[in-house]
Amino acid sequence: MKVLAVDYGAARSGLAVSDATGTIARPLEVVERAATRAGLERLRRIVEEQGPDLVVVGLPLTLRGERGAQAVETEVFVGALREVLDVPVETYDERFTTSLAAASPGDAPEDARAAAHLLESYLAWTSATSS
């Protein structure tokens, strides 16, 4: 199953995509102001181009696993995203992906690397839970 991950941020949202088998994640790009009409339209076109079976959006829970202001803002974004996409949209706990991306080298923008870390974590979790 091919998955597209979104590391949502009000200013910039990183994207990553898996291969068709849902095994390998790679950074894709960054979408500016993803929650705006133009941003949502850009995301819709990317989903159309990439053809994922699922979109996963990182949910930034607090260290205690609770929903803070950023998680609530992300959930509003997820609702808007579901309105414009024809594929399922899920959330996944994304704690620590941004700090992992900052510490990892690469040519891709940090936001896209964070999305790739989110996607790698999600793919490992789904693999472990389906075994």
Side-chain angles (χ1 to χ4, degrees), residues 10-45:
R12 291 175 313 282
S13 297
L15 305 181
V17 67
S18 76
D19 63 338
T21 65
T23 307
I24 300 168
R26 68 175 172 84
L28 189 60
E29 67 178 86
V30 173
V31 172
E32 303 289 331
R33 299 176 310 282
T36 65
R37 184 175 304 175
L40 289 166
E41 176 58 22
R42 177 70 187 129
L43 287 167
R44 188 195 64 73
R45 285 193 314 267

Side-chain angles (χ1 to χ4, degrees), residues 1-8 13-18 28 34 40 42-59 74 77-92 115 118-119 122-123 126:
M1 171 164 62
K2 187 173 184 179
V3 181
L4 181 103
V6 180
D7 183 40
Y8 173 74
S13 297
L15 305 181
V17 67
S18 76
L28 189 60
L40 289 166
R42 177 70 187 129
L43 287 167
R44 188 195 64 73
R45 285 193 314 267
I46 291 167
V47 167
E48 189 175 277
E49 292 164 8
Q50 293 294 323
D53 301 295
L54 173 69
V55 174
V56 175
V57 179
L59 188 62
T74 300
F77 165 73
V78 167
L81 191 59
R82 285 180 175 141
E83 293 290 321
V84 300
L85 297 183
D86 293 328
V87 297
V89 179
E90 293 182 8
T91 59
Y92 182 73
L118 164 71
L119 184 52
Y122 176 81
L123 294 173
T126 57

Side-chain angles (χ1 to χ4, degrees), residues 102-127:
S104 63
D107 293 334
E110 186 174 311
D111 295 304
R113 291 195 322 267
H117 283 290
L118 164 71
L119 184 52
E120 287 169 353
S121 178
Y122 176 81
L123 294 173
W125 175 76
T126 57
S127 177

